[in-house]
Structure formats: C-alpha cells, structure tokens
Amino acid sequence: MTTTQNPDARYTEAAIEADKDVPAVHIWRDFTATPAQLMRAHTDPDLFAKWVGPDSLTTRIDQWDCRTLGAYRYVASRDGEEFAFRGTFPFVGEAKIVQTFTWEGMPEAIALETVTFEDLGDGRTRLHAFSLCDSFESRDGMLSSGMDVGIHEGYAKLDALLAAGVA
C-alpha cells in the first residue's frame, strides 16, 4: 500500500475514496506542516479535541493514552446529544499511527485505521488514512454517515491551528 495516491496531485481538500477491492476508505490530504506537527496534532489530546470533527460538535476527551498499546475514548456533543468513540492504539510511531475505531452506537462495527504522514518537501506533508472496515456494508454506512463533513471541517480547523502556530 502506498501513501501517495498521485504524486503530482495536490490535496488542498480531502480526497475520500472507497477502495474497490476491500471494504476500506482512503483519505488523502496535504497540509502546510511537517510530519512532526501533524503527528502532534493527532496524538496530543488537547490539540486533537480542538480540530476533530464537524464545526457543530464539541469534543471532550475521556481517555487518551496515545502510545503503542494505549487506548482512547472521546465524546462529541451537540445540543444535548452525545456521540462516543473509542479504540486502541496497536502502534504509534514517528510518522504512523495504527488504531482501532468504533462508534459506541455500533460497537460491533470496528475499523482498523492506519494514518501515515509523508514529507513532501517544501514544508508540506501528505496525510493518508486507510480505514479497513469489517464489511462493505459497514464501509458504505461510514461513507453515508456524513463523515465527509467532519473530515473537511475538521481539517479546515487543523489548517487554522497550524497557521496560527498552535500545532
């Protein structure tokens, strides 16, 4: 599996694609940041809570042990509704995170996600997320859940944090 879908492309907005061969989703997004900055944005709980998800949700971290063999749980809320997510971190490296991910509303639907950060030079880094679902039905449910809004709005918030020097 390569992290670069198209080395000539510039992903200023997230490209979200269903894998045609396995029940998985690929996400590519370029950032004006170093791999270390993006790694910090994904591993620091306070920073992660500031950018993850749609603008309409606020995120509370309940558990965050972002290290190899650690675990996490966070809750996104809006208008009195809460949506809890949890998982484990089987591996956390210098420019790669492997995690499980599940929405507590469907605990049987667990995805195995790998996020890598590829240095493109010139202060740019390409994020590639690969989410392997347990079935094509789960994958299609994930894609139709509105996750694209959370990805686009979340990465826009991350861009702003990076530009402000917070990340």
Side-chain angles (χ1 to χ4, degrees):
M1 173 181 67
T2 179
T3 59
T4 304
Q5 179 198 28
N6 177 350
D8 298 322
R10 296 291 174 253
Y11 299 102
T12 56
E13 288 196 14
I16 304 167
E17 295 181 11
D19 191 293
K20 62 182 173 80
D21 298 318
V22 295
V25 176
H26 292 270
I27 302 166
W28 290 272
R29 176 65 152 72
D30 295 350
F31 292 89
T32 302
T34 65
Q37 287 174 298
L38 286 179
M39 190 68 176
R40 181 172 174 257
H42 282 77
T43 59
D44 179 294
D46 295 327
L47 195 49
F48 180 81
K50 289 179 183 176
W51 68 263
V52 71
D55 295 341
S56 63
L57 295 173
T58 45
T59 299
R60 176 185 82 238
I61 304 293
D62 284 349
Q63 176 187 6
W64 196 267
D65 186 14
C66 190
R67 62 175 177 83
T68 297
L69 301 180
Y72 69 92
R73 181 177 191 266
Y74 64 90
V75 179
S77 59
R78 169 183 52 222
D79 300 328
E81 282 187 283
E82 292 191 338
F83 310 93
F85 303 90
R86 69 172 52 239
T88 62
F89 295 107
F91 177 79
V92 178
E94 192 172 306
K96 179 179 181 177
I97 300 168
V98 179
Q99 67 185 47
T100 62
F101 176 85
T102 191
W103 170 49
E104 289 182 0
M106 289 183 65
E108 72 282 4
I110 300 170
L112 178 61
E113 301 183 333
T114 302
V115 181
T116 55
F117 307 105
E118 179 184 1
D119 190 342
L120 299 174
D122 298 328
R124 293 179 308 109
T125 299
R126 177 159 300 158
L127 173 150
H128 175 230
F130 177 78
S131 298
L132 180 63
C133 300
D134 62 338
S135 68
F136 284 98
E137 181 179 74
S138 289
R139 187 228 25 221
D140 295 345
M142 180 191 295
L143 287 168
S144 66
S145 71
M147 72 176 263
D148 57 319
V149 173
I151 289 169
H152 292 300
E153 291 181 359
Y155 287 162
K157 289 185 281 189
L158 180 52
D159 278 334
L161 291 168
L162 290 163
V166 176

